Amino acid sequence: MNDKNRTPVSLGVIIGNRDFFPDKLVGECRADLLEAFQQAGIKPVMLDESATKLGGVETFGEAQKCAELFRRHAGEIMGVLVVLPNFGDEKGIAETLKLARLDVPVLIQAYPDDLNRMDVARRRDAWCGKISVCNNLYQYGISYSLTTKHVVHPSDPSFAADLTNFVAVCRVVKGLRNVRIGAVGARPGAFNTVRYSEKILQRNGISVVTIDLSHILGNANKLTATDQSVKNRLDAIKAYAPTGRTPDDRLVQIAKLDVVLADFMAEHALDATAIQCWTSLQQNYGCNVCTSMSIMSENMLPSACEVDVTGTLSMYAMQLASGSPSALVDWNNNYADDENKCVLFHCGNWAKSFLPDIEISTAPILGTTVGEENTYGALAGRTPASPLTFGRISTDDPKGIMKAYIGEGRLTDDALNTFGNRAVAQIDNLQGLMQYVCRNGFEHHVVMNASKTAGILKEAFENYMGWEVYTHE
């Protein structure tokens, strides 16, 4: 998988201090952090050593200084790291976060004590101080994350992993609170399963921009094979995947549609799309849009079919967590009599990263009703063995909430003799998962990502977005 979604991250840093502990612990902490940040590629936004006592935060005045610094950098700070080299002042930390008004994820770290250095000169008591800080943040209504170990030194490998995961949580939260999704066309009449609430999404910072499919097809039909934009897209498509037996005129159709979709996304600054396919595109335009959707998803602009807006939202979230493309799939078939395996399938719009044997082809099932000659543009390819994170975000309209389920498993190389985009998934207690999906009214679409990021998604969805989350164990 690729890593196109990772960008440098700035974290605000609050170093807690308590006046009756040795100040040199704050100075040592600063050096430890700078080394950890350099290794993680993180830019810290923290008080200068001269702004307060060694750059720590204890008093209300120091909290004001730190909060003012954070506000100046609010546009770049994605999260805040609270560090306790000693017990720390819980009120100073809570006041800083309250005054800064950043509303970003917060990670709390505390230093361990050394049994051989428990004298007045080196004693920390950060184990106890962390509990006090958490208690105050809880009282203030500020959400926060915890390190795997209650106390941990910044040089510990587990802290490096915690920091990496926290940065991913920050990416997911920031992305979800500002995402813009294009809904292209009406939901296919036969797919009640992909209905959703725009109003619930908007309450969560998720904007949906709609456009009638006729506008897209009308603009595509105005283009010709001689237009430079079409020639450019045609070259890009041929470079993206082998064209197989796809006729030249169908490739031009696909390229024209691709130009118009790209223009629509650029005009509205969209991060993702959900496109009507079944069966208007085939009947009214004469090809599938799968190739364009695959290219967009590969380029970290996820695209889902059947106007599955919350499906593409799920793709976007997983992409933010992992830094690699996601794919919308059907929970499609049992795998013989293995109760912990199933077949994942779709006509052919998965990102290229999932398809080492990718080829532009047709959609045989859809072709039985609209004519296979009208389904060129669907991709064929088999996904090989890899890690698997799966999940789904949905709006639960009767409850008026956002909900999700997430879990991990693996994709296998088990034999699978069929067409389209396909994979075999192995998931522990798969039967229990299917019971949950069915009993709680989730869609037949699920999203897969070649990663192990369920913990990151759970923290982002549940702790910071406030959604109802089921984690499959």
Side-chain angles (χ1 to χ4, degrees):
M1 288 292 170
N2 56 34
D3 198 32
K4 300 173 184 174
N5 202 50
R6 297 204 186 280
T7 54
V9 170
S10 293
L11 295 183
V13 181
I14 304 172
I15 302 177
N17 193 20
R18 199 85 164 201
D19 58 2
F20 46 80
F21 288 90
D23 293 334
K24 62 182 178 182
L25 296 177
V26 176
E28 293 172 4
C29 163
R30 191 182 191 88
D32 293 338
L33 289 176
L34 291 175
E35 183 175 346
F37 289 154
Q38 184 176 20
Q39 293 179 2
I42 292 170
K43 176 186 174 183
V45 177
M46 55 200 295
L47 285 170
D48 188 83
E49 291 174 289
S50 61
T52 63
K53 191 189 299 181
L54 297 177
V57 173
E58 179 177 4
T59 67
F60 183 69
E62 291 168 346
Q64 287 178 303
K65 288 184 179 180
C66 190
E68 196 276 330
L69 172 67
F70 286 176
R71 286 196 300 273
R72 289 203 309 269
H73 294 271
E76 60 184 284
I77 293 176
M78 290 181 64
V80 173
L81 174 64
V82 174
V83 185
L84 299 175
N86 56 42
F87 191 103
D89 189 286
E90 65 265 29
K91 287 184 64 178
I93 291 166
E95 291 288 359
T96 300
L97 293 169
K98 176 186 175 184
L99 294 170
R101 301 187 300 275
L102 295 178
D103 192 26
V104 296
V106 177
L107 177 65
I108 304 174
Q109 177 268 357
Y111 270 72
D113 267 303
D114 185 336
L115 277 179
N116 297 317
R117 307 176 81 178
M118 295 281 282
D119 55 357
V120 174
R122 296 295 306 181
R123 182 176 172 132
R124 298 180 184 271
D125 290 5
W127 179 290
C128 189
K130 180 174 179 178
I131 299 171
S132 294
V133 168
C134 292
N135 173 273
N136 273 258
L137 297 190
Y138 185 87
Q139 291 184 46
Y140 279 62
I142 298 171
S143 297
Y144 51 89
S145 299
L146 303 172
T147 53
T148 303
K149 298 179 181 179
H150 183 64
V151 290
V152 61
H153 194 278
S155 63
D156 191 292
S158 76
F159 179 71
D162 288 336
L163 202 54
T164 297
N165 289 340
F166 178 68
V167 166
V169 169
C170 293
R171 280 199 309 268
V172 174
V173 172
K174 181 177 181 180
L176 290 177
R177 286 175 173 170
N178 297 278
V179 64
R180 292 172 57 79
I181 299 173
V184 180
R187 169 185 56 80
F191 284 84
N192 275 2
T193 184
V194 295
R195 291 198 285 192
Y196 66 97
S197 169
E198 279 192 51
K199 293 180 180 179
I200 295 175
L201 291 178
Q202 194 65 72
R203 281 293 182 94
N204 286 269
I206 300 156
S207 301
V208 178
V209 178
T210 62
I211 188 170
D212 195 274
L213 186 61
S214 65
H215 290 288
I216 298 294
L217 299 186
N219 287 335
N221 281 324
K222 292 176 184 176
L223 297 172
T224 69
T226 60
D227 288 323
Q228 191 60 48
S229 59
V230 176
K231 290 180 179 179
N232 292 342
R233 292 313 301 164
L234 190 57
D235 290 342
I237 288 167
K238 289 179 177 178
Y240 182 73
T243 57
R245 58 186 178 87
T246 307
D248 288 343
D249 63 331
R250 291 297 194 257
L251 289 172
V252 171
Q253 286 284 90
I254 296 166
K256 288 160 61 178
L257 189 59
D258 200 61
V259 169
V260 175
L261 287 170
D263 288 346
F264 169 64
M265 292 196 72
E267 179 184 357
H268 297 281
L270 301 178
D271 302 292
T273 52
I275 302 173
Q276 180 182 356
C277 174
W278 196 298
T279 55
S280 181
L281 263 170
Q282 294 77 18
Q283 292 174 327
N284 297 301
Y285 189 69
C287 71
N288 268 39
V289 70
C290 300
T291 299
S292 296
M293 297 170 74
S294 175
I295 293 172
M296 287 189 283
S297 294
E298 181 71 15
N299 290 320
M300 312 306 274
L301 297 167
S303 188
C305 53
E306 295 156 13
V307 202
D308 188 354
V309 167
T310 51
T312 202
L313 177 65
S314 307
M315 295 172 70
Y316 187 64
M318 287 195 187
Q319 164 188 302
L320 290 168
S322 68
S324 64
S326 305
L328 187 80
V329 311
D330 282 352
W331 289 118
N332 212 74
N333 313 89
N334 58 292
Y335 189 81
D337 58 355
D338 192 325
E339 294 187 353
N340 287 321
K341 288 181 182 177
C342 68
V343 175
L344 305 178
F345 174 85
H346 238 171
C347 299
N349 63 351
W350 297 357
K352 185 178 180 177
S353 293
F354 292 96
L355 307 172
D357 57 343
I358 190 173
E359 182 180 84
I360 300 175
S361 184
T362 60
I365 294 177
L366 185 56
T368 62
T369 58
V370 300
E372 192 168 351
E373 70 278 6
N374 293 313
T375 67
Y376 283 104
L379 298 173
R382 166 67 195 267
T383 303
S386 72
L388 170 66
T389 294
F390 61 85
R392 173 80 203 194
I393 301 168
S394 185
T395 59
D396 191 321
D397 299 19
K399 293 182 179 178
I401 63 168
M402 299 284 297
K403 65 181 182 181
Y405 68 89
I406 48 177
E408 295 178 350
R410 65 186 182 94
L411 300 178
T412 75
D413 285 328
D414 289 303
L416 183 59
N417 184 25
T418 189
F419 49 84
N421 289 171
R422 55 207 185 272
V424 177
Q426 179 169 331
I427 299 166
D428 290 343
N429 189 23
L430 178 60
Q431 300 303 309
L433 173 62
M434 291 299 99
Q435 290 273 331
Y436 184 86
V437 167
C438 291
R439 289 190 183 280
N440 289 276
F442 280 98
E443 298 80 352
H444 69 291
H445 288 163
V446 66
V447 172
M448 68 175 183
N449 191 278
S451 65
K452 294 287 187 179
T453 51
I456 292 167
L457 294 164
K458 175 181 171 63
E459 184 73 2
F461 294 171
E462 191 172 68
N463 194 17
Y464 294 105
M465 299 302 294
W467 298 349
E468 183 179 284
V469 180
Y470 167 73
T471 306
H472 182 68
E473 301 294 345

